[in-house]
Amino acid sequence: MNLLKKLTLGILALTISSALYAQKLTIFWAEWDPANQLQELAEMYTEETGVDVVVETTPWPDFQTKTFTEFAAKGSSFDMVVGDSQWVGAGVKGGHYVKLNDFFKEHKVAETMTAGTVAAYAEYPQGSKNYYAIPTEGDADGWAYRKDWFEDPKEMANFQKKYGYKLDVPETWAQLKDIAEFFHRPDEGRYGVTVYTGKGYDALTMGIENVIFAFGGSLGDYATYKVEGLVNSKETIAAVEYYKELYQFTPPDWGDTFFAEANQVFTQGKVAMSMNYFAFFPALTNKKVNPHVAGTGYFSNPKGPAGRFAALGGQGMSINSYISDSQKKLSYDFLAWFVKEENQRKWAEVGGFTCNKAVLESEAFLNATPFNAAFKETMFMVKDFWAIPEFADLLEPIQRNMHQYIVADQGTAKEGLDNVAREWKEILKKAGYTN
Amino acid sequence: MANINVKDMIKRFGQTEVITKLNLEIKDQEFVVLLGPSGCGKTTTLRAIAGLEDIQGGEITIDGKAVHDLPVKQRDIAFVFQLFALYPHLSAFNNIAFPLKAAGMPKSDIEKRVFAVAEFLQIKSLLKSMPSALSGGDLQRVSMARALVRDPKALLMDEPMGTLDAKLREELRTELKHLHIETNSTTVYVTHDQVEAMSMGDKIAVMNDGILQQMGNPKEVYDNPSNIFVAQFIGSPVMNVVDCNYATDGDVTHLVLGENNSDKFTLSKNLTQKLKAKNGDSKNLAVGIRAEAVDLKLEPTKGYVKVEVEVIEPLGPFDIVDVKVGDGLVRSSTRSQYVEKSCKHVWIHLNEEKIHFFDTQSGQSLNINAEA
Amino acid sequence: MAVGVHKEATNSQPGLARTGLSDLSIRNLFIIPTIAFLACMNIFPLIWSLFLSFHEWRANLPDEKAVYVGIQHYRDILNDPAFWQTFSLTAQYVLYAVVGELVVGFGVALLLNREMKAKGVITTLLLLPMMMSPAVVGLFWKLLWNPGWGIVNPIFGLANDYAWLSDANRALWAVVITDIWMWAPFVMLLSLAGLSAIPKHLYEAAEIDRASWWFTFRNITLPLVTPLLLIAIIFRTMENFKQFDMIFTMTGGGPGTSTEVHSIRLYRMAFQSWDTGKSSAFAYILLIMVIGISMIYIKYLNKIKER
Amino acid sequence: MASITFENLTKKYDDLTAVNDLNLSVNDGEFYVMLGPTGAGKTTSLRCLSGLDKDYQGSVYIGNSNVTDWSPAHRDVAMVFQQYSLYPHLTVRENLEFPLKSKIRMVPQDEIERRVNYAAATLKIVDLLDRKTDKLSGGEMQRVSIGRAIVRKPKVFLMDEPLSSLDAKLREALRIELKRLQKELGATLIYVTHDQVEAMSMADRVGIIKEGQLIQSDTPHKVYNEPKNTFVAGFVGSPKINFFDGIVENGRLTIKGSPHQFQLESEILEKIRGITGELIIGVRPEDIFLTHEAQEGACEAKVYVIEHMGMENLISFHIDPYHFKAATDSAFEVNANDKIYFRFAQEKLHFFDKNSEENLV
């Protein structure tokens, strides 16, 4: 018993002293470039304040699982998490995120950040004016393309002859498909397009979303929770069928891919157009990674019959509700520093995709990279997946059914989407949103 | 049934020669025992005959046909292994039937033959048992049945009783010998136990260090061992072999056993003559005499030498009395309790008709009595 | 005769020998803590998940109350055609993989079970796949199967757009073949142990009995090595039934659901959908199945051993 | 040196009773052999005596001391095992010195040397003293093992089948030496074996053990000639004693199931004190007389097998339903299936109760 007492005291002493000694913040995020950029920004903060900030990372496929496992254990191994937009609901409902309404009021966050990102990353339920995250990394799908191929006079002439219009950045999804078909030459080791097809997490769904919204389709009514007739509407079906047509112009064995594979084949010079999150484009401006830097261009999503939309990526930063008050205080201080316009500018400078309206619209930002213009354009037309706590439940059926149709080539788009509608209805009912 | 001939056989394992120019003649229907201490090459010889070992020189013929280059299958011999080598997952019946099944014999014939051989060996009641449920003796019988069932040209056995206890061995060896009388199959039997060899063999081939020492019927090897090794390997108690020399004193020739000894055994004229003819200068000489050829008396008797009693070993039917002759011991077998514990001295005499002389250098017998 | 050198042994010193730990203190010191540890680490989770399987609860919302739903989860799962589809897929996967591993592993063992040079080195090399992490093997083979730069297609002379992992009809075979590559060495190892345990004199006896190679193989080798082969089958069946990491890293269960075996489905249910209650029920159903399958095997194994 | 007494010794391993209520006394300076088949409990008794096995019931005395609760070290017994258990990295001398160097013994160096030299001389291993033990032959190793026991001058020597892994010739030689050595040291020696020849030839007294129980404890001569029951009769003697069921009636002995009858001599009838009816009769091979010709009082039989043993011939013959084995002079020659005539040396017949199998005389 004596020993136990001593041990407990020892551990206690250690904890206290370490807390006193090291003013340290841990931010948890996925393993990708933006996390490194955030670390870079955080070091500026450390320089100013002396508070250590460490950005801990884990691979994307594990990110959600690890975060919520920690939450389930009410753990405090990180102070803040840059959580995915779709998690907000789960984070809030589970009580894992600290409510930031006062902070928002004090620092006018809702006013300085773009409306789309505030709604998607920070607010839950949408329209409630309750905020739980600071929009951090704005992100959405866009396109990288081989400008040099597009501008090759011979290609242009051939294209003109075959399709009857000029080869250029596609204005519509129909044109995008034509161009994909045009450049798809497996014999030469060249392929038309890469789109997301991954079975893990939300990869395939994120890809399809771009088209669904533009075709006038829908993933359901986020306000009334109605899904039947929406997620399997004629328009949604047409969008999914269209996506499958695009899939045939992808490189071989393209059935389980996401951002990494997309950049990989693009930098290998094998593909004409590549769908990807903006967050992954900085790599393409690096000559060492992408030998075709000079011939690489970027564009935002083309329009469909129902307009132009882009699937939202991106994350907001939230405070873990299970950490000590002193750590919470430290977190608030960091966030207050982070939302300042000057620091948002720095954030953009190190490569972060800021959500700050003023920065976004500044001349300096637009010209900073070849894709910032497209990014800005995109950020004003984003739409997201469900953000209710059960978003992951909803993801699973759509991922499975869409993969079954598009990659495994089984059943029809209608059958697949009917399944999604049926399974979603059940999930929403079970969760108590509908009767 | 067949004659087996081994001619100048040489067997090497790597660089080591384990069998040196071995010659064996095994006649049809004969029961020949290969006898020797472990490592003498007897098992290797047997396995070479079976074809389980290849040979590096010489010839093996069965019925005049050279077989040493033929695979085992074509030699048509049966083999009983020391550990019986029964197939552990097959019943006794299936073990016995195995060679017939392997030959593709029709089922009904197989049954007939298995039952016949089982009847003959009195193991019919065991046929359904698995080997693990059988006793040592039964295992041996089943493996005999497996060997006999297909009527092989010859039966080779490698210490088939090596793992059984003494009483069972005693019983089985009588049975085995009887079996041979009934079947008359040419049999080659390997053992290190001289009792088995003596009791069963028509002929015994004594081997040591890969060399054949002597081949003959049990009586021959017992009564006229060709060298010290055979003399001491065969028979229990072990034959007394003592260094000796002889000296003629006038008419009488004395035999002196061991060194520093004043005990003198008088030799007959006849024997003295023979001994002198064979071994002129009385050098390198040893006398060999079996315990039962050492006569022992409790009182001074003419021609008997007084000796000290060292140890008495009662064996039941008879006692062995170890007496001190010079530095060494000589063992004499006597009637049970003939010499009492309290007895300090006795008088002994060597039976000349059963005496052997050996050249200690070569170990060879001088064959004094064999010629008589 | 007594010489008086036995000073050390007197009547006054009985029973000094019993030093060291008594059975009782060994029990208290080692066995009880071990059992307690086992109870905490194994038995508690087992009971807890059994409890959860009768409740509606989500681990990502730990503060919500667990609602008792009875056997609803079990009923839902067993009535779901998708479950039975997954079941049949898993069964196919297990069957193909185990049979393949058996044939390849036992075959290689037969080839290796003889005197040969560098046998040790060859055996060790053959065992390497087994020693790797399944996840690494999955990633590694994902590359090998890739039609663009993998080696499988060139070796078999297939076109560079002959997709394996993206093709719903071939993905299962690719996964099965990878599993065979990885685990056939295990069967080989057990087979080798079994083969070398067959006494040489049995083969000599069979030779004397004039049995052909094939006859000997069927009647001696096979029956005697069967118990170990069965053990290999038990291990591989149970392992393959639970197979997760390799398939997950290779295909993620895709394309569609063409390689989505039980464990992957369970993973998605438990850690992507966070449907903790239902996935506990699912896990229990799998547990019962695995126990059932192994009981059948063990019964059979005992039957063989009785002989 | 000391006497040894087992008092109601019982040793159980789980549900197996290895030794069952053993009572046995060995006199000071006696060469006592425990003889019995494998698993009879001989070795276990020895291990209880040495203290290597504990948790037995009953008492063990060495000399006048009740040593039941003593540790092996304090019992001061020396054991020689079938496996030589020598230290392979040490020389013969170092092996012999080893037991004396132990702290609790505190034997002075000159005493150690004296004892080692004495043991080496006695066992004729003087010229082996500086060799490593792994270079020795089996016989030499066993001598060293015995030497290691001798140097300690223990109260009691215990030997567990020390000769059984040696070849026949060597066994015979060591047998004599061992017996001589024991007399010379005047030591109390308990020797365990399953080989009846060893037991008979060496023992002052033989204790025959079966299933953990002492059946008979007597001199070799008595054990052979007056066996307590059929087990002892069958276990001692080679070739084995012949048993058959006989009916004693009106002074005649009938071999049950056959027409063969013998008139019993009056001394024999006196010896069996008028017991009649069905008995088990034992007759040793050397007590059957064979002749080629028909003789008064002899019965006819058919020869089954002849075994030429050199010193004697063993002749098996068959009279339904029994096989008999007779030992004859080596000059007596017959062939299988020949007719012969046999009679028994009546004074050597053994009579056992049909049910209890106890000797009736």
Side-chain angles (χ1 to χ4, degrees):
Chain A
M1 216 45 214
N2 215 348
L3 186 76
L4 203 71
K5 247 184 210 165
K6 273 186 196 162
L7 219 73
T8 323
L9 279 174
I11 290 168
L12 221 79
L14 222 78
T15 325
I16 293 166
S17 64
S18 70
L20 286 175
Y21 162 67
Q23 296 220 314
K24 185 180 153 191
L25 276 174
T26 306
I27 304 173
F28 193 48
W29 203 356
E31 192 179 288
W32 61 335
D33 280 349
N36 302 336
Q37 292 151 5
L38 183 63
Q39 182 69 59
E40 212 175 311
L41 182 73
E43 271 152 26
M44 298 177 193
Y45 179 73
T46 310
E47 230 164 84
E48 276 179 39
T49 63
V51 177
D52 248 350
V53 183
V54 178
V55 180
E56 292 260 12
T57 61
T58 188
W60 261 111
D62 296 344
F63 184 35
Q64 186 238 18
T65 310
K66 279 204 174 155
T67 309
F68 277 90
T69 312
E70 184 69 15
F71 281 149
K74 305 199 174 180
S76 56
S77 69
F78 54 79
D79 301 298
M80 286 178 278
V81 59
V82 189
D84 217 1
S85 52
Q86 316 161 74
W87 307 355
V88 178
V92 171
K93 193 136 182 246
H96 312 313
Y97 288 172
V98 171
K99 199 183 222 179
L100 299 173
N101 288 6
D102 294 344
F103 185 89
F104 263 60
K105 213 177 270 168
E106 190 184 331
H107 298 279
K108 305 203 177 338
V109 180
E111 290 77 25
T112 55
M113 303 282 179
T114 59
T117 59
V118 170
Y121 304 163
E123 193 181 23
Y124 184 83
Q126 279 186 23
S128 67
K129 305 263 181 229
N130 285 324
Y131 303 107
Y132 296 91
I134 307 302
T136 303
E137 173 80 355
D139 201 0
D141 279 335
W143 295 83
Y145 76 107
R146 289 299 294 272
K147 210 166 155 194
D148 47 348
W149 295 2
F150 276 51
E151 286 167 2
D152 184 331
K154 218 164 71 196
E155 301 283 7
M156 290 177 75
N158 284 344
F159 185 87
Q160 180 78 38
K161 209 165 87 193
K162 190 167 175 196
Y163 296 95
Y165 61 96
K166 191 171 164 254
L167 175 59
D168 202 349
V169 170
E171 281 176 15
T172 65
W173 285 103
Q175 283 181 7
L176 189 137
K177 197 177 81 183
D178 287 346
I179 298 166
E181 181 187 53
F182 177 70
F183 281 112
H184 191 65
R185 300 159 196 171
D187 300 342
E188 298 172 24
R190 270 192 191 190
Y191 309 95
V193 69
T194 69
V195 291
Y196 294 162
T197 60
K199 189 157 188 297
Y201 196 39
D202 61 356
L204 178 61
T205 308
M206 290 300 111
I208 306 174
E209 264 182 23
N210 291 313
V211 191
I212 290 177
F213 298 138
F215 274 51
S218 157
L219 294 176
D221 187 327
Y222 297 162
T224 64
Y225 303 99
K226 177 175 152 53
V227 288
E228 185 64 55
L230 293 173
V231 76
N232 53 351
S233 70
K234 189 161 98 250
E235 291 79 8
T236 315
I237 292 169
V240 169
E241 281 167 349
Y242 169 85
Y243 200 79
K244 185 171 179 179
E245 283 170 43
L246 269 189
Y247 175 63
Q248 60 180 308
F249 304 125
T250 57
D253 208 28
W254 200 250
D256 190 14
T257 62
F258 205 4
F259 45 82
E261 290 84 357
N263 267 3
Q264 194 183 351
V265 291
F266 190 86
T267 54
Q268 283 170 350
K270 288 184 175 171
V271 66
M273 298 176 288
S274 172
M275 169 196 280
N276 218 337
Y277 284 116
F278 278 95
F280 296 98
F281 288 154
L284 300 184
T285 63
N286 182 343
K287 178 109 188 132
K288 277 185 200 144
V289 178
N290 179 15
H292 316 289
V293 169
T296 304
Y298 305 87
F299 60 90
S300 49
N301 275 352
K303 67 171 183 279
R308 276 181 93 182
F309 292 96
L312 181 73
Q315 296 83 26
M317 204 179 322
S318 307
I319 301 175
N320 180 355
S321 64
Y322 306 114
I323 57 175
S324 65
D325 286 346
S326 58
Q327 285 303 100
K328 277 183 190 155
K329 168 87 179 44
L330 277 181
S331 301
Y332 278 123
D333 290 348
F334 177 77
L335 289 178
W337 180 86
F338 180 71
V339 297
K340 283 187 186 152
E341 190 179 318
E342 67 209 76
N343 296 325
Q344 282 291 311
R345 204 173 299 281
K346 283 182 195 158
W347 174 224
E349 274 161 19
V350 297
F353 283 98
T354 177
C355 302
N356 185 288
K357 282 193 246 176
V359 179
L360 270 178
E361 278 166 5
S362 68
E363 235 6 71
F365 177 78
L366 288 180
N367 297 325
T369 71
F371 44 78
N372 275 8
F375 175 69
K376 192 209 106 185
E377 200 174 35
T378 302
M379 285 316 282
F380 290 94
M381 59 184 194
V382 290
K383 253 193 170 179
D384 200 7
F385 191 73
W386 293 83
I388 55 172
E390 290 77 13
F391 82 96
D393 306 35
L394 299 179
L395 259 183
E396 200 272 332
I398 190 168
Q399 280 286 103
R400 172 160 40 81
N401 283 299
M402 291 302 96
H403 208 260
Q404 187 82 323
Y405 167 65
I406 291 165
V407 179
D409 193 23
Q410 281 161 9
T412 63
K414 183 168 185 333
E415 282 166 11
L417 290 168
D418 284 347
N419 283 342
V420 174
R422 182 173 48 75
E423 293 182 43
W424 279 11
K425 235 165 53 186
E426 239 165 76
I427 292 167
L428 292 171
K429 189 174 151 195
K430 200 168 154 191
Y433 296 105
T434 56
N435 294 320
Chain B
M1 296 303 134
N3 298 298
I4 300 172
N5 265 302
V6 176
K7 218 184 268 170
D8 296 333
M9 185 179 100
I10 292 171
K11 168 77 195 173
R12 285 187 211 98
F13 287 119
Q15 295 295 312
T16 340
E17 191 165 280
V18 292
I19 310 275
T20 312
K21 288 233 172 192
L22 182 77
N23 286 285
L24 285 177
E25 206 185 315
I26 297 153
K27 295 207 187 82
D28 190 18
Q29 304 196 351
E30 212 168 40
F31 194 122
V32 172
V33 179
L34 298 182
L35 174 69
S38 59
C40 73
K42 54 190 192 302
T43 295
T44 310
T45 305
L46 193 75
R47 289 169 59 84
I49 296 172
L52 296 171
E53 301 280 354
D54 48 1
I55 59 173
Q56 276 68 48
E59 191 172 78
I60 299 170
T61 61
I62 296 178
D63 278 342
K65 189 177 153 210
V67 296
H68 50 267
D69 288 332
L70 294 182
V72 178
K73 274 177 228 162
Q74 290 172 32
R75 301 195 190 189
D76 191 16
I77 38 80
F79 201 103
V80 177
F81 293 82
Q82 177 170 16
L83 298 163
F84 312 126
L86 289 179
Y87 308 117
H89 58 295
L90 300 179
S91 66
F93 179 93
N94 283 325
N95 261 286
I96 300 168
F98 192 92
L100 305 180
K101 281 186 185 161
M105 187 181 274
K107 219 175 162 187
S108 57
D109 291 3
I110 292 180
E111 273 184 20
K112 239 183 268 168
R113 290 188 61 171
V114 172
F115 283 132
V117 76
E119 177 92 63
F120 178 62
L121 288 167
Q122 299 173 356
I123 49 170
K124 264 190 125 167
S125 59
L126 306 177
L127 286 178
K128 283 196 182 122
S129 315
M130 298 305 281
S132 55
L134 296 178
S135 68
D138 291 340
L139 286 173
Q140 216 252 325
R141 290 188 188 97
V142 173
S143 65
M144 284 296 303
R146 184 176 65 178
L148 290 173
V149 74
R150 66 178 169 81
D151 240 340
K153 281 190 184 153
L155 189 55
L156 309 187
M157 291 190 248
D158 182 12
E159 308 223 14
M161 302 188 204
T163 55
L164 307 179
D165 74 53
K167 294 283 165 226
L168 191 58
R169 271 210 307 267
E170 208 179 289
E171 233 168 80
L172 282 177
R173 72 180 198 231
T174 314
E175 257 181 56
L176 207 58
K177 177 129 195 200
H178 183 248
L179 184 74
H180 178 249
I181 293 169
E182 299 266 308
T183 59
N184 272 325
S185 45
T186 310
T187 305
V188 187
Y189 185 105
V190 160
T191 183
H192 67 274
D193 181 353
Q194 59 96 14
V195 177
E196 268 177 32
M198 292 291 285
S199 70
M200 291 193 290
D202 292 329
K203 281 206 188 124
I204 300 174
V206 186
M207 290 180 71
N208 191 29
D209 287 341
I211 295 167
L212 180 67
Q213 306 288 326
Q214 185 173 4
M215 186 160 174
N217 65 39
K219 201 167 155 51
E220 276 164 23
V221 293
Y222 188 82
D223 290 341
N224 292 305
S226 64
N227 57 32
I228 297 180
F229 175 81
V230 175
Q232 293 209 301
F233 199 79
I234 299 231
S236 172
V238 173
M239 182 194 278
N240 300 296
V241 175
V242 187
D243 286 353
C244 69
N245 53 60
Y246 54 91
T248 311
D249 183 7
D251 266 1
V252 195
T253 303
H254 293 298
L255 186 66
V256 181
L257 271 56
E259 282 165 35
N260 317 320
N261 188 13
S262 53
D263 304 334
K264 288 170 178 161
F265 295 89
T266 313
L267 291 183
S268 71
K269 285 217 175 90
N270 182 15
L271 192 65
T272 312
Q273 246 171 17
K274 278 198 243 170
L275 192 56
K276 280 191 174 155
K278 293 265 180 187
N279 180 300
D281 51 4
S282 101
K283 271 194 182 146
N284 304 324
L285 196 65
V287 66
I289 186 134
R290 296 208 180 271
E292 70 265 27
V294 179
D295 290 338
L296 188 145
K297 293 258 195 286
L298 299 175
E299 280 97 40
T301 312
K302 187 172 178 289
Y304 282 65
V305 174
K306 183 180 175 188
V307 290
E308 196 182 320
V309 175
E310 181 83 22
V311 170
I312 302 167
E313 303 176 72
L315 288 182
F318 56 90
D319 289 353
I320 294 172
V321 180
D322 298 71
V323 299
K324 229 175 177 168
V325 178
D327 286 347
L329 290 178
V330 166
R331 315 175 79 196
S332 162
S333 73
T334 70
R335 200 150 53 67
S336 180
Q337 289 193 310
Y338 179 67
V339 180
E340 278 170 29
K341 263 193 181 173
S342 54
C343 207
K344 292 274 185 258
H345 289 96
V346 292
W347 285 258
I348 62 165
H349 166 77
L350 309 182
N351 182 345
E352 278 193 2
E353 277 170 31
K354 295 193 174 168
I355 206 162
H356 303 272
F357 288 99
F358 300 100
D359 181 329
T360 50
Q361 209 130 62
S362 66
Q364 293 302 312
S365 169
L366 300 183
N367 286 327
I368 298 285
N369 278 311
E371 287 169 9
Chain C
M1 194 58 212
V3 212
V5 287
H6 318 296
K7 294 179 202 101
E8 65 273 17
T10 68
N11 273 339
S12 59
Q13 296 178 289
L16 283 183
R18 306 201 180 185
T19 53
L21 292 171
S22 72
D23 289 354
L24 197 74
S25 50
I26 284 178
R27 190 189 75 189
N28 291 339
L29 267 174
F30 299 105
I31 298 174
I32 290 179
T34 309
I35 290 173
F37 184 76
L38 275 180
C40 291
M41 302 305 289
N42 291 339
I43 298 168
F44 171 72
L46 211 62
I47 293 169
W48 181 236
S49 57
L50 182 65
F51 166 82
L52 284 179
S53 74
F54 296 111
H55 290 77
E56 182 68 50
W57 189 70
R58 303 171 63 87
N60 65 337
L61 303 176
D63 288 337
E64 304 268 312
K65 225 177 137 349
V67 182
Y68 179 73
V69 294
I71 57 162
Q72 187 62 40
H73 288 318
Y74 290 93
R75 203 182 292 159
D76 284 353
I77 292 167
L78 293 175
N79 284 331
D80 183 357
F83 170 81
W84 292 106
Q85 227 175 335
T86 316
F87 178 78
S88 109
L89 177 81
T90 310
Q92 275 180 56
Y93 166 74
V94 170
L95 182 74
Y96 300 158
V98 171
V99 169
E101 282 154 19
L102 217 56
V103 170
V104 175
F106 189 51
V108 174
L110 278 179
L111 290 178
L112 278 179
N113 187 39
R114 62 187 70 190
E115 299 293 319
M116 56 193 276
K117 275 184 192 165
K119 184 172 161 182
V121 177
I122 292 171
T123 312
T124 313
L125 284 178
L126 284 174
L127 290 180
L128 280 180
M130 197 176 96
M131 301 172 185
M132 292 190 233
S133 143
V136 172
V137 170
L139 285 172
F140 176 54
W141 274 85
K142 188 174 180 170
L143 297 180
L144 296 185
W145 286 113
N146 188 289
W149 53 82
I151 56 155
V152 176
N153 284 4
I155 285 177
F156 294 103
L158 298 168
N160 69 356
D161 61 348
Y162 192 88
W164 287 89
L165 300 181
S166 291
D167 187 298
N169 299 315
R170 296 180 203 133
L172 183 65
W173 286 108
V175 171
V176 164
I177 290 169
T178 307
D179 196 71
I180 292 173
W181 176 85
M182 182 166 181
W183 289 108
F186 174 78
V187 180
M188 179 198 83
L189 197 65
L190 279 185
S191 306
L192 264 183
L195 286 174
S196 58
I198 300 176
K200 208 175 145 228
H201 61 244
L202 290 188
Y203 287 110
E204 291 186 340
E207 223 180 320
I208 291 285
D209 288 340
R210 301 201 282 179
S212 64
W213 182 87
W214 176 238
F215 190 84
T216 309
F217 177 76
R218 255 182 345 156
N219 289 282
I220 310 287
T221 311
L222 213 49
L224 288 176
V225 89
T226 301
L228 269 179
L229 282 184
L230 257 185
I231 289 172
I233 292 175
I234 292 178
F235 270 98
R236 288 317 309 149
T237 305
M238 292 200 291
E239 287 285 303
N240 278 334
F241 200 80
K242 301 184 298 184
Q243 175 64 273
F244 175 75
D245 9 16
M246 195 197 79
I247 301 184
F248 194 72
T249 49
M250 271 180 85
T251 67
T257 54
S258 51
T259 59
E260 192 160 297
V261 291
H262 275 322
S263 53
I264 293 180
R265 198 175 175 78
L266 176 59
Y267 168 80
R268 293 203 190 289
M269 197 187 276
F271 296 104
Q272 287 193 346
S273 305
W274 292 102
D275 201 345
T276 313
K278 191 169 177 184
S279 53
S280 295
F282 196 128
Y284 255 88
I285 292 174
L286 293 193
L287 180 70
I288 290 163
M289 281 180 168
V290 171
I291 291 174
I293 294 171
S294 23
M295 294 245 282
I296 294 171
Y297 276 132
I298 288 167
K299 214 170 162 187
Y300 191 59
L301 186 69
N302 285 337
K303 227 187 206 166
I304 285 185
K305 274 192 176 162
E306 271 167 26
R307 293 206 312 237
Chain D
M1 296 305 151
S3 62
I4 288 156
T5 307
F6 293 101
E7 218 174 74
N8 307 103
L9 180 75
T10 297
K11 169 74 189 170
K12 286 181 183 158
Y13 296 107
D14 298 324
D15 47 353
L16 178 101
T17 306
V19 179
N20 189 1
D21 199 21
L22 180 74
N23 284 291
L24 175 67
S25 289
V26 176
N27 301 328
D28 187 8
E30 193 171 29
F31 196 126
Y32 193 91
V33 177
M34 286 178 149
L35 173 68
T38 326
K42 318 177 290 281
T43 300
T44 308
S45 318
L46 214 57
R47 290 175 62 86
C48 291
L49 174 57
S50 67
L52 290 174
D53 271 7
K54 303 177 185 85
D55 300 328
Y56 49 79
Q57 290 133 42
S59 309
V60 177
Y61 294 86
I62 297 178
N64 295 320
S65 313
N66 182 342
V67 300
T68 310
D69 294 325
W70 290 17
S71 72
H74 290 112
R75 295 190 186 196
D76 194 28
V77 296
M79 247 183 129
V80 179
F81 299 93
Q82 180 181 349
Q83 260 62 43
Y84 318 120
S85 57
L86 297 178
Y87 306 108
H89 57 291
L90 301 181
T91 62
V92 171
R93 182 186 295 280
E94 287 162 334
N95 264 285
L96 292 177
E97 287 172 347
F98 196 88
L100 302 176
K101 296 232 158 154
S102 126
K103 284 264 159 56
I104 57 163
R105 295 191 192 275
M106 304 219 298
V107 184
Q109 187 57 39
D110 56 336
E111 171 71 11
I112 292 182
E113 243 163 72
R114 213 174 53 73
R115 291 204 209 168
V116 168
N117 291 338
Y118 169 74
T122 314
L123 291 162
K124 299 177 191 151
I125 48 172
V126 176
D127 42 343
L128 302 178
L129 278 175
D130 295 317
R131 280 212 231 152
K132 284 270 170 66
T133 51
D134 52 1
K135 299 274 187 299
L136 304 180
S137 70
E140 290 167 341
M141 287 215 241
Q142 197 56 287
R143 277 172 218 242
V144 177
S145 307
I146 295 167
R148 216 169 49 172
I150 293 175
V151 292
R152 277 181 44 199
K153 298 199 179 170
K155 287 182 185 163
V156 176
F157 287 95
L158 307 180
M159 299 199 178
D160 188 2
E161 312 229 1
L163 304 183
S164 63
S165 53
L166 306 177
D167 71 52
K169 196 173 143 189
L170 200 55
R171 218 156 49 213
E172 238 176 68
L174 273 176
R175 209 160 83 189
I176 306 164
E177 265 179 51
L178 208 54
K179 183 154 182 180
R180 202 171 55 181
L181 183 71
Q182 184 262 344
K183 288 284 167 269
E184 217 169 289
L185 297 172
T188 308
L189 195 156
I190 301 189
Y191 186 104
V192 158
T193 184
H194 66 272
D195 180 349
Q196 59 101 14
V197 177
E198 270 179 26
M200 297 286 286
S201 61
M202 291 194 285
D204 292 326
R205 276 197 304 151
V206 181
I208 289 148
I209 315 269
K210 183 196 177 191
E211 289 164 10
Q213 274 177 315
L214 181 69
I215 307 289
Q216 185 173 4
S217 178
D218 257 322
T219 63
H221 182 77
K222 276 209 159 173
V223 162
Y224 189 79
N225 292 300
E226 295 165 32
K228 184 140 184 294
N229 57 20
T230 53
F231 175 77
V232 176
F235 200 78
V236 173
S238 171
K240 201 182 150 188
I241 192 168
N242 302 288
F243 287 117
F244 62 90
D245 289 346
I247 297 160
V248 177
E249 245 169 6
N250 306 327
R252 296 177 75 81
L253 169 66
T254 311
I255 299 177
K256 193 187 171 195
S258 85
H260 295 294
Q261 281 196 345
F262 301 93
Q263 179 65 49
L264 288 176
E265 292 156 17
S266 54
E267 303 93 85
I268 306 302
L269 289 170
E270 209 167 286
K271 204 165 85 178
I272 62 172
R273 298 181 310 272
I275 295 170
T276 56
E278 197 175 322
L279 306 172
I280 299 172
I281 316 287
V283 57
R284 296 209 179 267
E286 68 268 22
D287 299 329
I288 303 177
F289 302 129
L290 299 184
T291 50
H292 290 287
E293 312 298 333
Q295 266 188 338
E296 174 68 32
C299 299
E300 185 189 309
K302 200 168 90 173
V303 172
Y304 187 65
V305 164
I306 317 101
E307 297 169 70
H308 297 98
M309 305 308 296
M311 193 159 64
E312 60 192 0
N313 285 345
L314 299 178
I315 311 225
S316 309
F317 57 92
H318 189 79
I319 33 171
D320 210 37
Y322 304 102
H323 277 295
F324 285 87
K325 200 176 258 191
T328 70
D329 193 65
S330 60
F332 187 85
E333 277 295 344
V334 281
N335 290 315
N337 299 327
D338 281 357
K339 242 186 235 173
I340 47 142
Y341 297 87
F342 72 95
R343 66 186 173 82
F344 302 134
Q346 292 202 3
E347 72 282 7
K348 293 287 182 67
L349 286 178
H350 303 278
F351 299 88
F352 302 97
D353 184 86
K354 175 77 182 149
N355 295 315
S356 68
E357 304 192 350
E358 294 285 316
N359 199 331
L360 292 168
V361 179

